Amino acid sequence: GAAAVSSLTVPNGATILGDLTVSSVNGPIARGSVLCPHESLIVKFVTVATVDIDATAVVLFDTNGVGRRFASINLTVDITASGANGLDTGAEASSTWYAVWVVAKADGTVAGLLSTSFTSPTMPADYIFKGLVGAARNNGSSNFLTFYQSGIEFVIEGTTVVSGQTQTSYTSADLS
């Protein structure tokens, strides 16, 4: 079953989902890189190799910090592809968190991008704007786990919060 998470474990990065507390298996992650400004953002599982990104609009930034609004985002990103609407660099690794980015060219062309970097993805040629919109994780078989993100709310499959115990009152659980 799925469980809402109040923290995510991600590598090499920063807070990625607004006010959620993000921690790493190797210790705390520095705060700083946040989910880009957006309107009606949905990031979700489509298949074991693809992620869908939809938004009324997102604000993406160039290397000088200049923002630009891009409207009508409807993208499918395939981790088996390379570059725009695929993986930024290298080959897919199993049991890995991937940053989900929206990137754009100066001419307004928009694409999705998956990267193991939550701060500096390798940008496809001629893409100068970027914005972090979410995260996806695959399993040991390199299949994306089923997830759904609406704005900063994130739900992912396979999280057992309590097993073999009966809870009679509210109990804190570490979800890392």
Side-chain angles (χ1 to χ4, degrees), residues 47-50 77-83 85-87 90-92 114 142 144:
T47 71
V48 296
T50 58
V77 189
D78 186 337
I79 197 157
T80 65
S82 248
N85 291 317
L87 184 59
E92 179 182 9
L114 296 167
S142 294
F144 280 127

Side-chain angles (χ1 to χ4, degrees), residues 11-13 87-89 91 93 96-99 101 114-119 121:
N12 308 324
L87 184 59
D88 66 342
T89 186
T96 300
W97 278 102
Y98 284 92
W101 296 87
L114 296 167
S115 177
T116 56
S117 175
F118 283 78
T119 56

Side-chain angles (χ1 to χ4, degrees), residues 6 16 27 30-31 39 47 53 62 67 70 78 104-105 111 132-133 140 143 150 152 156 165:
S6 61
I16 59 163
R31 297 180 70 82
E39 298 171 26
T47 71
I53 306 165
D62 67 13
F70 294 86
D78 186 337
K105 296 180 180 182
L132 181 62
V133 294
N143 295 327
S150 176
I152 63 169
I156 192 165
Q165 299 176 2

Side-chain angles (χ1 to χ4, degrees), residues 98-123:
Y98 284 92
V100 180
W101 296 87
V102 174
V103 296
K105 296 180 180 182
D107 69 4
T109 302
V110 179
L113 192 67
L114 296 167
S115 177
T116 56
S117 175
F118 283 78
T119 56
S120 299
T122 300
M123 298 288 282

Side-chain angles (χ1 to χ4, degrees), residues 149-174:
Q149 176 191 329
S150 176
I152 63 169
E153 301 289 323
F154 187 88
V155 179
I156 192 165
E157 77 169 6
T159 305
T160 301
V161 176
V162 177
S163 178
Q165 299 176 2
T166 301
Q167 297 299 324
T168 57
S169 61
Y170 290 104
T171 303
S172 176
D174 181 359

